[in-house]
Amino acid sequence: MAERRRGDLRDLLFGGFLIAVAGFTALATWSLRVGTAANMGPGYMPRVVAALVLAFGLFFVVRGAVAAFHPIAPPQPRGVVFILAAVAAFALLVTTAGLMIAAVVTIVIAGFASRETRPLETVLFGGAMAVGAVLLFVQALKLPVPIWPW
């Protein structure tokens, strides 16, 4: 029996999401002056980005409508639990333990979401991401986030 072609649900949903984001952005910036490319108003860049997001959304909707249907696998409880735990750990630790410790702990906990995670690589990656987070958020952006608990 031949397989029916219905469309790729993942692409359809993602395209629909992008179209909704573009529509929300257009509505939110409707009252802002757009201006021209030479004399940009406050609404110019948001509308340009919204148009690009809309174009990508339309691309994904069209691609999903013509592609073969591949059902989305149900989320695995392990992944959902560990990702939510990682977010909760970061929220609890960032102000008390500091950004360095919170970032490493968050990445280590999130690493348990996959059975393919290697502990040493996860800790090294967590350390590198923590240093990057400190450089970006504390040093470059000057956000008042504690780096260490002391």
Side-chain angles (χ1 to χ4, degrees), residues 6-46:
R6 292 188 188 166
D8 189 345
L9 185 58
R10 292 174 290 194
D11 280 348
L12 287 170
L13 291 175
F14 183 61
F17 171 74
L18 290 178
I19 291 170
V21 168
F24 175 76
T25 303
L27 286 174
T29 62
W30 189 258
S31 63
L32 298 176
R33 186 179 65 79
V34 178
T36 64
N39 186 18
M40 295 180 196
Y44 187 86
M45 282 310 293

Side-chain angles (χ1 to χ4, degrees), residues 1 11 13 36 56 60 67 91 97 102-103 117 128 135 140 144:
M1 183 193 302
D11 280 348
L13 291 175
T36 64
F56 278 112
F60 279 104
T117 301
L135 290 174

Side-chain angles (χ1 to χ4, degrees), residues 24-115:
F24 175 76
T25 303
L27 286 174
T29 62
W30 189 258
S31 63
L32 298 176
R33 186 179 65 79
V34 178
T36 64
N39 186 18
M40 295 180 196
Y44 187 86
M45 282 310 293
R47 296 247 183 100
V48 168
V49 172
L52 291 172
V53 170
L54 176 66
F56 278 112
L58 292 172
F59 167 77
F60 279 104
V61 166
V62 169
R63 187 172 89 167
V66 297
F69 179 74
H70 300 287
I72 298 175
Q76 299 298 316
R78 174 188 181 120
V80 172
V81 167
F82 281 111
I83 296 300
L84 290 175
V87 171
F90 184 82
L92 294 172
L93 290 174
V94 72
T95 57
T96 57
L99 184 58
M100 289 291 284
I101 294 172
V104 172
V105 169
T106 298
I107 290 174
V108 168
I109 292 172
F112 287 115
S114 171
R115 286 183 167 77

